[in-house]
Amino acid sequence: SYLALDHARALRDEGRPEEARALARRLLADLEESGLWERYFWRIELEAQVETLVGGSFMDEDEPQRAEEELSRAVERLEEYERLL
């Protein structure tokens, strides 16, 4: 899962934000579909990382409102993560 996230980051760095978003979202969908997703504490951190990547990719495409929505979700997840620690 972290390899897919790293690849999505590389796509974004290469100026391919739409592909990066698609890969990041597919990563989350695959993890949810696996049934293992809910068992792991690290899912919160991974979700926040994906949302941060997706939000940043929207900034790359000059879509600040969509970016803010995604980045706000990432902040909420990180606050949830902090409460659980």
Side-chain angles (χ1 to χ4, degrees):
S1 59
Y2 282 99
L3 290 175
L5 185 58
D6 287 343
H7 184 60
R9 286 182 179 128
L11 289 170
R12 182 176 173 223
D13 290 345
E14 292 172 5
R16 299 162 58 187
E18 190 172 321
E19 293 173 66
R21 274 194 307 275
L23 179 57
R25 287 180 171 158
R26 191 168 50 244
L27 163 64
L28 290 184
D30 288 350
L31 287 170
E32 287 175 15
E33 193 175 297
S34 74
L36 300 173
W37 187 239
E38 295 299 322
R39 297 182 190 174
Y40 295 102
F41 181 70
W42 53 261
R43 75 175 171 79
I44 299 169
E45 178 189 357
L46 185 60
E47 286 174 319
Q49 288 182 33
V50 167
E51 290 162 344
T52 299
L53 183 140
V54 170
S57 73
F58 281 126
M59 286 301 294
D60 295 343
E61 294 184 319
D62 198 29
E63 296 188 49
Q65 185 172 3
R66 293 180 79 184
E68 183 177 358
E69 291 169 8
E70 290 291 333
L71 294 171
S72 292
R73 277 196 286 272
V75 169
E76 289 171 10
R77 293 227 193 274
L78 291 172
E79 288 172 346
E80 176 186 358
Y81 188 73
E82 185 178 54
R83 282 190 298 275
L84 292 172
L85 292 177

